[in-house]
Amino acid sequence: MTDLAQDLAAFITSAPTPYHAVAEGVSRLAAAGFTEQPEAGRWDDGPGGRYLVRDGTLLAWFVPEGAPPGTPMRIFAAHTDSPTLKVKPRPDIGTAGWRQVAVEVYGGALWNSWLDRDLGLAGRLALYDGTTVLVDVHRPLMRVPQLAIHLDRQVNQGLTLDAQQHLLPVWGLGAASEGDLIEFLAGEVDVDPDEVAAHDLVVHDVSPPARLGEEEELLAAPRLDNLASVHAGLGALLAAADNAAGVIPVFVGFDHEEVGSSSATGAAGPLLETVLTRLAGGFDARGAAFATSRCLSVDVTHAAHPNYLGHHDPTHRSVPNGGPALKVNANQRYATDAPGAAAWQRACRDAGVPTQVFVSRNTVPCGSTVGPILSTRLGIRTVDVGIPVLSMHSARELCGVQDPGYLASAATAFLTDPA
């Protein structure tokens, strides 16, 4: 792999959940000299790089030397969560001699992509003393088995899955016993199982990221949506910290985008607004600062699917290794407008990277992302972009190996653009 593709693969492997993505981001920021800003602690308004963590959401910023109150901000916004299967509070179930795990679907997962895959289990254990412990069983532990074709002769004419009945992973044999799964996980991280009060756990594909194609021009990996953007944003912020002048570069990776962003750690919550208000110098100063700030909302976009081209607009398709795509929607499912698009085009020109334009087919409504939420909540001009990804919301997705580098370079130019 190229160095950047290899680093992205390592980042994805280290981040099976939003909590792990935040931990890996903090590790990289701390190594670059960023220090923690405790959310409940005294606010540090001096120059330098800082980060703030709340659960599965990470914010980080760099204040240049001598930046006055009201300095414009350049914001890179992404999300740390991905569609998956989340473990229910009482997970231990089973029947017919199989031990299984009770799960529910998180986000718009492509259900069939989770069938017959080697799955691990990761997340956090919340203890009675108020602390949390990260856990990642990164080895084949469970599987969602599909019914053999002999017992479902019409399956190739249309697979029908019931999320309550057909998506339950198996993880062993014997009778199910309440507490088994948590006892196992507690042992993995050397915690007394009796001290575990609650948990946030998800399954994840343990197959490692891989290069595909004759010239290895593609990268296959889980959670490209949206860890590819988180990885690029962190890299762009670190690069911008060396070149920021006249602006304050900011990174935010939100949790809960895949389920609508309406949470204390989601884009619809108050966390980013609170931090930006403090960075602006307070409520009275933020009006002018917000008016001159810009936000880059970064989430992957649909690559043109060669087997389903009829689902794409014929003149606004995005292709792998063609550069990140500017995302436009007349009904404001994306927040991009002409001045925002011009700022993005300028960033790409300054960085020397290609870009594309994605507009959804009129008969195929597009999804949305954090961009419209942030522009509505903050009144900051926002532009939506993303690298093209094939099989989005699958347990394993595909992108061009050059596109993450293109995105990081253009994002760095965006975060340092004083115009």
Side-chain angles (χ1 to χ4, degrees):
M1 294 189 185
T2 65
D3 289 344
L4 185 66
Q6 189 167 352
D7 190 61
L8 172 58
F11 183 84
I12 289 172
T13 300
S14 72
T17 75
Y19 317 112
H20 290 82
V22 167
E24 177 63 22
V26 165
S27 176
R28 293 174 178 228
L29 290 165
F34 281 59
T35 58
E36 183 176 8
Q37 169 64 63
E39 189 175 359
R42 184 188 67 82
W43 181 259
D44 184 353
D45 58 3
R50 282 172 290 284
Y51 63 86
L52 183 150
V53 172
R54 184 192 285 183
D55 299 328
T57 291
L58 172 64
L59 289 96
W61 58 91
F62 185 86
V63 178
E65 189 76 39
T71 297
M73 290 164 280
R74 300 290 182 261
I75 305 151
F76 183 111
H79 66 88
T80 59
D81 61 324
S82 302
T84 184
L85 304 176
K86 184 173 183 179
V87 176
K88 291 182 178 180
R90 299 178 62 184
D92 297 295
I93 59 173
T95 188
W98 295 95
R99 297 165 71 198
Q100 295 178 275
V101 177
V103 297
E104 60 179 322
V105 178
Y106 177 88
L110 196 60
W111 296 355
N112 66 291
S113 70
W114 290 93
L115 302 179
D116 296 324
R117 287 186 179 275
D118 292 336
L119 302 174
L121 192 63
R124 62 179 179 176
L125 304 177
L127 309 185
Y128 279 104
D129 65 6
T131 62
T132 59
V133 178
L134 294 184
V135 58
D136 180 13
V137 183
H138 200 90
R139 62 180 186 272
L141 178 68
M142 55 185 63
R143 174 175 284 231
V144 181
Q146 190 170 358
L147 187 63
I149 193 170
H150 313 80
L151 304 178
D152 186 6
R153 295 289 184 179
Q154 301 304 309
V155 65
N156 289 329
Q157 279 68 56
L159 174 64
T160 301
L161 296 172
D162 182 307
Q164 179 68 26
Q165 182 178 357
H166 300 143
L167 297 181
L168 303 177
V170 298
W171 76 298
L173 299 173
S177 178
E178 187 169 353
D180 277 356
L181 185 66
I182 298 307
E183 182 176 358
F184 163 73
L185 291 173
E188 289 287 300
V189 289
D190 197 25
V191 167
D192 182 350
D194 292 334
E195 292 303 310
V196 179
H199 55 80
D200 289 308
L201 301 166
V202 298
V203 305
H204 62 94
D205 178 14
V206 298
S207 302
R211 292 283 289 272
L212 269 66
E214 181 183 1
E215 299 179 3
E216 297 190 341
E217 65 266 44
L218 298 170
L219 176 65
R223 302 180 298 281
L224 286 171
D225 180 10
N226 190 28
L227 292 185
S229 301
V230 173
H231 176 264
L234 287 167
L237 175 64
L238 293 176
D242 294 329
N243 299 289
V247 295
I248 298 175
V250 178
F251 165 85
V252 58
F254 290 108
D255 200 354
H256 299 142
E257 188 275 346
E258 297 292 357
V259 292
S261 296
S262 295
S263 72
T265 52
L271 186 57
L272 178 62
E273 181 179 8
T274 299
V275 170
L276 296 183
T277 299
R278 287 176 141 181
L279 284 174
F283 190 85
D284 290 341
R286 79 173 197 174
F290 283 17
T292 54
S293 295
R294 283 196 298 273
C295 178
L296 190 67
S297 164
V298 190
D299 200 349
V300 299
T301 193
H302 294 283
H305 198 303
N307 297 340
Y308 299 91
L309 283 180
H311 288 67
H312 302 275
D313 184 275
T315 58
H316 294 88
R317 300 170 182 162
S318 59
V319 297
N321 290 331
L326 179 72
K327 298 157 73 171
V328 179
N329 180 258
N331 296 307
Q332 292 298 292
R333 298 290 286 169
Y334 302 129
T336 306
D337 62 7
W344 170 250
Q345 297 284 3
R346 181 170 63 250
C348 291
R349 182 193 63 186
D350 292 347
V353 302
T355 186
Q356 311 177 69
V357 180
F358 172 83
V359 181
S360 132
R361 188 179 179 91
N362 288 337
T363 54
V364 182
C366 68
S368 192
T369 184
V370 300
I373 297 171
L374 297 179
S375 63
T376 300
R377 183 174 180 91
L378 303 173
I380 292 176
R381 190 182 304 283
T382 301
V383 54
D384 275 294
V385 304
I387 66 170
V389 166
L390 197 64
S391 300
M392 192 191 301
H393 285 204
S394 170
R396 196 167 178 86
E397 301 162 323
L398 194 67
C399 74
V401 74
Q402 292 176 285
D403 283 328
Y406 288 148
L407 174 59
S409 295
T412 301
F414 187 95
L415 290 180
T416 55
D417 182 6

